[in-house]
Structure formats: C-alpha cells, structure tokens
Amino acid sequence: MSEIAPPDAKPARRRQADRSSSTRDRLIEAAITCLHQRGYAQTTVSVVAEAAGVSRGAMTHQFPAKTDLMVAVVRAVFRKDSDYYEQSIVGVDLVDWMRNLPWTLWGAVSAPSGIAVMEIMLASRSDPQLAERLRDMQMRIDTAAHAWIQDRRRAAGLVERPDGDAIHRLVVAAARGLALEALFRRNSEDVGDSIAVLAELLTHLYPPAKA
C-alpha cells in the first residue's frame, strides 16, 4: 500500500519553496552589496554566504558556482531596473520624461545594483565562462531596454531616428562611464553638469514635434 501523504504536505512544500526563494533573494542582495563595496575579485562565494547569513551548503545548493550567482545578479537587477523605469513614467508628461531620460538612467547605473552589474561586466573580460553566459543575456537586456524606450518615445510623439541604436548605446555608455568615474574619484558632484549635457543632446536629437 502506498503511503498516504499527511494533510499539510502541500503547504509544507510551499513553505520550503518560499524558504528557498528567500534564501536565493538574500544571496543576490548580499552579492550586490559585496560587489558594490568590495569589487568583483573580493566578492567570493564565502564572503557572499557570510554576508547573507547563509551556510556554504545552502549557498552551493542555490548557486553551484560563482558564475551562476553573477548571472543571477544581472538578471535580478534587470527586473529591478524594469520596475524602476515603469514607475518613472507614472503621471509624467512623456516629452518631459524623454528630456530627463539621462537623469533616470543615471539613477539606475549609479545605484549599488548598477555598479554591481558593471563590476561583473568588467570581470567577464578575463573570465571566458562568465563572458559566454553574460554576453548574450546582456545584449538581450539592452535590446529590450531600447525597445521599451522607443515605445515611450513614439508615445511622446517624437520621431525615431535611423541611428537610434547608436544614440542609445552612446547615452548608456556615457552614463556608465560617469558612474565608474564618480566611483573612482569618490565624488559625484560634477556629474550633474555632464548629465545635463546628455539631456540637452537628446533634446536636439529628438526635438518636440512642431504644433
């Protein structure tokens, strides 16, 4: 006779799944903090496990290798940034939003999570396995982000340019570069002037439609 499962079997499995998800989230958040504060080289799996208050065994169960954790961080930051951008357009005139896009972008790339992703991207230069897993995913993320911005631009009545992809890459790269420079100099006071230039550049490239 097969064993009859106790009445609370399904709730118990759900609780286990919830605990596993919570552990995973804690590890990802701890990794982001460590990457931001320590850099990639010093963000070892042991350091992340300790920061998250998780055993090494539980860490390995969730992320068998450091590469798995780093890829999960990039994916999680993309989801977080997607929510951030969606919230940024709530109750805002889209033409004004487009003018201020470099400021919104700066808010994402200069945050601890944005710095963490850049640490991972830079580290992939000397880690072929990480580079292989990261490159395609990052390209898909950039493509999705640009498509979303294009939709907002069209909704604002602005005409898309044939070199829109190049403009998008330029603005993103500029914001990321400014974030790295501010981190290196430990001073972001001068960044505002550069972000303002990016905003003015976008205004010239995508002028409001004439009435």
Side-chain angles (χ1 to χ4, degrees):
M1 181 181 293
S2 61
E3 183 178 352
I4 300 176
D8 63 345
K10 289 184 178 179
R13 285 197 293 270
R14 283 198 295 269
R15 287 195 295 271
Q16 183 178 4
D18 290 342
R19 286 196 297 270
S20 178
S21 178
S22 176
T23 298
R24 187 179 180 87
D25 291 343
R26 281 160 54 196
L27 287 167
I28 289 173
E29 286 301 319
I32 289 172
T33 299
C34 292
L35 286 163
H36 177 244
Q37 295 179 348
R38 297 168 175 257
Y40 184 87
Q42 295 186 48
T43 301
T44 64
V45 291
S46 297
V47 166
V48 173
E50 182 179 357
V54 171
S55 69
R56 181 65 182 271
M59 169 83 175
T60 303
H61 176 72
Q62 295 291 335
F63 302 106
K66 182 178 179 178
T67 299
D68 299 313
L69 175 59
M70 296 300 103
V71 171
V73 165
V74 174
R75 187 177 293 113
V77 171
F78 173 62
R79 290 195 295 266
K80 178 181 178 181
D81 286 350
S82 295
D83 292 339
Y84 164 74
Y85 281 105
E86 289 286 355
Q87 287 297 316
S88 73
I89 64 173
V90 175
V92 177
D93 179 83
L94 286 179
V95 173
D96 290 339
W97 184 86
M98 287 304 308
R99 291 195 182 108
N100 292 317
L101 178 58
W103 293 101
T104 306
L105 180 61
W106 166 255
V109 300
S110 65
S113 56
I115 298 299
V117 168
M118 283 190 282
E119 286 282 348
I120 296 170
M121 293 173 66
L122 290 171
S124 70
R125 295 180 63 243
S126 57
D127 186 335
Q129 184 181 14
L130 177 61
E132 182 179 357
R133 295 186 60 184
L134 184 63
R135 190 175 293 111
D136 288 344
M137 183 174 69
Q138 189 61 51
M139 288 179 64
R140 290 195 300 271
I141 287 173
D142 288 344
T143 298
H146 186 205
W148 185 86
I149 291 173
Q150 285 178 312
D151 288 342
R152 307 289 83 72
R153 188 177 292 124
R154 283 191 290 267
L158 303 179
V159 178
E160 187 57 65
R161 293 174 56 99
D163 55 355
D165 287 341
I167 294 171
H168 176 75
R169 287 193 300 271
L170 174 63
V171 174
V172 172
R176 284 174 174 163
L178 288 168
L180 286 176
E181 182 182 14
L183 190 68
F184 173 74
R185 295 171 58 187
R186 297 184 180 180
N187 183 357
S188 60
E189 292 181 358
D190 298 333
V191 169
D193 292 339
S194 298
I195 298 297
V197 170
L198 282 177
E200 183 177 357
L201 175 64
L202 283 185
T203 300
H204 288 299
L205 291 171
Y206 297 100
K210 296 180 179 179

